[in-house]
Amino acid sequence: MDSIVEIKGLKKSFINRNNSLFKKNKKINVLKGVDLKIKTGEVYGLVGESGCGKTTTGNIITRLLKEDSGDILYKNERINDIKNKRLKNYRKEVQMIFQDSSGSINPKKTIKWILEEPLKIHGIYDKTSNEYLNDRLEDVGLGKEHLKRYPHELSGGQRQRISILSALILNPKLIVADEPVSSLDVSIQAQILNLLKDLQSNYNLTYLFISHDLNVVSYLSDRISVMYMGKIIETGDVENIMKMPAHPYTKVLISSVPKINRKNNRIIIKGDIPKYNSDIGCDFYSRCPYAMDICKKNDPDEINLEKNHTVKCHLFGR
Ligand SMILES: Nc1ncnc2c1ncn2[C@@H]1O[C@H](COP(=O)(O)OP(=O)(O)OP(=O)(O)O)[C@@H](O)[C@H]1O
Ligand SMILES: [Mg+2]
C-alpha cells in the first residue's frame, strides 16, 4: 500500500515559557527524530502520555507548526516548504479535528455559516451547496434544522459532529484527529468513535488518530505507534501491540487500560518522569522495570521483531 504521509527524522524544540517542570527560557526538545509512515486508507493510531509530543506531530503534519528539521512527504513529495496555492490545496486535502470543538468552530456564527465558509474560501460555493450541506449533515447524524443554530445551542456531542463535518466538507484525503473524543462523556465517546469509523469507510479516508487513551486508539486503529518523550518507541499492527507488546512502556500503557474481569497484573512504573534533553541512553531508563547498564549509555536502535512490528529497546535484538 502506498503511503499518504511520511515523516522522517522530525525534530522540534520550544523555548520553555511557563512549564514549571523546566527552567524558564530553556530549550526543550519536544520531538527528537520522529519517523512514521501512514498508508493510504488506514487508521494510524498515535498514543502516548501527556506532553510526549503527539499534538506537536499532528500540528506539523497539518502545517499549523513549522518543524526545526526532518522531512514531511505527502504522496511521496516533500512538502516542507510549499506555499500559496500548493499549501492551500494541501490544507484542503489534509484536515484536522481537535479535542475541543469550541477551538475549531466560531462561537459567534451559525452552523450554516461555519460549514459554508470553507466552500467559499476554496471557491466551490454555489447554488447546489445547500443540498450538499443537508446531505453531509445527515452523514454525521444531524439535520438541516441545525443549520440556523449557534454552537452553544448544541450539545457537546453535536458540536463535535459539526467540527468533524467541517473537516470533511472539502472531501479531504487525510484527517488528523487529535483527541477527538477526550472532552466528551464516556457514553458519547462511543457514538463519536463509531461515527468516525463509518465516515472513514464511506468517504475513503485515511486517519492519523491521536490519543493518550490506548483503549480509544486501539478501537479504531489498524496500526499503532507508541510515543515516549518525543520518540516513537514501538510500532505495529493493533493486534500485535495489544497482545504482544514489546517495549516495557507499551506494556505499562496496556496494563493501565481498565478492563472488567481483567486479572490485576498492572506493571508499576517506578522513578520520576525524566527531563527532556537527556541526550544519551534510553529516555525510559529511569522508569523501566527492566533497565540494564547499556540502557543508561546507549540510545536503542530500532529493531524489527516481526512483520510490521518494530521496537526501540535494548531487551531485543541482542
Ligand atoms: N507553543 C509551545 N511553546 C512551548 N512549549 C510547547 C508549545 N507547544 C507544546 N509545548 C510543549 O511541548 C511538549 C509536547 O506538547 P504536545 O502538546 O505535543 O504534547 P501531547 O503529547 O499532545 O500532550 P497531551 O496528551 O497533553 O495533549 C509539552 O512539554 C508542551 O508543554
Ligand atoms: Mg495533545
Side-chain angles (χ1 to χ4, degrees):
M1 221 191 297
D2 286 341
S3 73
I4 182 161
V5 160
E6 186 172 357
I7 59 182
K8 293 182 190 169
L10 196 65
K11 293 189 179 168
K12 178 74 184 170
S13 60
F14 290 114
I15 303 297
N16 182 41
R17 300 281 177 228
N18 45 23
N19 185 337
S20 57
L21 281 174
F22 306 105
K23 272 192 193 147
K24 218 176 151 125
N25 296 328
K26 188 176 156 60
K27 193 170 107 172
I28 315 171
N29 294 323
V30 168
L31 299 183
K32 300 188 284 194
V34 173
D35 301 309
L36 59 87
K37 195 172 183 172
I38 306 169
K39 296 177 196 161
T40 308
E42 75 173 339
V43 180
Y44 194 108
L46 183 60
V47 67
E49 67 198 347
S50 183
C52 71
K54 304 180 297 295
T55 295
T56 305
T57 306
N59 284 346
I60 290 174
I61 291 175
T62 49
R63 308 316 284 149
L64 295 172
L65 262 183
K66 183 109 181 83
E67 63 289 339
D68 295 343
S69 61
D71 296 321
I72 301 138
L73 308 181
Y74 180 63
K75 295 179 180 168
N76 298 319
E77 270 184 54
R78 192 173 187 274
I79 54 101
N80 294 57
D81 305 312
I82 54 168
K83 290 191 180 72
N84 307 328
K85 228 173 153 180
R86 281 189 73 201
L87 181 59
K88 193 171 169 185
N89 195 49
Y90 179 78
R91 291 212 163 114
K92 180 169 172 267
E93 297 194 0
V94 179
Q95 292 274 333
M96 193 146 184
I97 301 171
F98 301 88
Q99 168 172 358
D100 182 4
S101 53
S102 62
S104 58
I105 56 183
N106 189 332
K108 294 195 180 117
K109 303 289 185 186
T110 62
I111 302 305
K112 186 170 190 303
W113 189 96
I114 290 164
L115 296 175
E116 283 174 352
E117 180 71 357
L119 301 175
K120 288 177 179 163
I121 290 175
H122 286 271
I124 45 180
Y125 180 83
D126 63 19
K127 50 183 187 305
T128 65
S129 297
N130 259 346
E131 200 181 327
Y132 177 74
L133 283 192
N134 292 344
D135 290 348
R136 297 290 81 78
L137 274 166
E138 266 179 41
D139 292 348
V140 297
L142 297 172
K144 58 183 173 203
E145 69 276 14
H146 295 101
L147 283 174
K148 54 184 182 302
R149 300 204 192 150
Y150 288 86
H152 73 268
E153 296 174 316
L154 302 178
S155 68
Q158 288 172 331
R159 263 201 306 277
Q160 196 58 320
R161 286 170 195 267
I162 293 295
S163 57
I164 290 168
L165 181 52
S166 70
L168 276 180
I169 207 87
L170 295 168
N171 278 324
K173 303 271 189 274
L174 171 72
I175 290 194
V176 177
D178 189 3
E179 308 270 7
V181 298
S182 305
S183 66
L184 302 171
D185 287 352
V186 172
S187 60
I188 311 289
Q189 285 191 357
Q191 290 176 15
I192 298 293
L193 288 174
N194 286 328
L195 173 68
L196 288 168
K197 205 169 202 167
D198 291 344
L199 293 171
Q200 196 235 344
S201 56
N202 295 343
Y203 281 71
N204 287 323
L205 293 164
T206 307
Y207 287 153
L208 173 61
F209 191 94
I210 297 176
S211 176
H212 65 280
D213 184 338
L214 188 57
N215 225 353
V216 164
V217 171
S218 64
Y219 181 69
L220 275 192
S221 301
D222 300 306
R223 290 194 301 144
I224 292 179
S225 275
V226 180
M227 192 172 216
Y228 187 75
M229 295 188 72
K231 277 184 201 158
I232 305 283
I233 51 104
E234 184 163 1
T235 296
D237 293 341
V238 64
E239 298 80 21
N240 286 342
I241 295 284
M242 297 307 284
K243 294 201 186 107
M244 289 179 286
H247 199 287
Y249 176 65
T250 312
K251 289 183 180 167
V252 169
L253 277 186
I254 288 173
S255 78
S256 55
V257 170
K259 280 227 173 72
I260 298 161
N261 292 334
R262 190 189 175 108
K263 284 194 195 122
N264 191 5
N265 55 356
R266 291 174 67 129
I267 297 171
I268 306 299
I269 219 170
K270 62 172 187 177
D272 293 331
I273 299 177
K275 303 275 184 268
Y276 283 100
N277 292 338
S278 60
D279 293 332
I280 48 164
C282 171
D283 290 315
F284 194 54
Y285 172 78
S286 64
R287 296 167 88 189
C288 183
Y290 312 103
M292 305 172 287
D293 272 353
I294 187 175
C295 309
K296 196 175 185 177
K297 292 179 206 136
N298 295 343
D299 195 9
D301 291 331
E302 187 169 270
I303 305 280
N304 278 314
L305 294 175
E306 61 211 306
K307 193 169 174 284
N308 294 339
H309 193 176
T310 57
V311 68
K312 282 184 195 152
C313 173
H314 288 299
L315 289 171
F316 301 89
R318 286 186 303 148

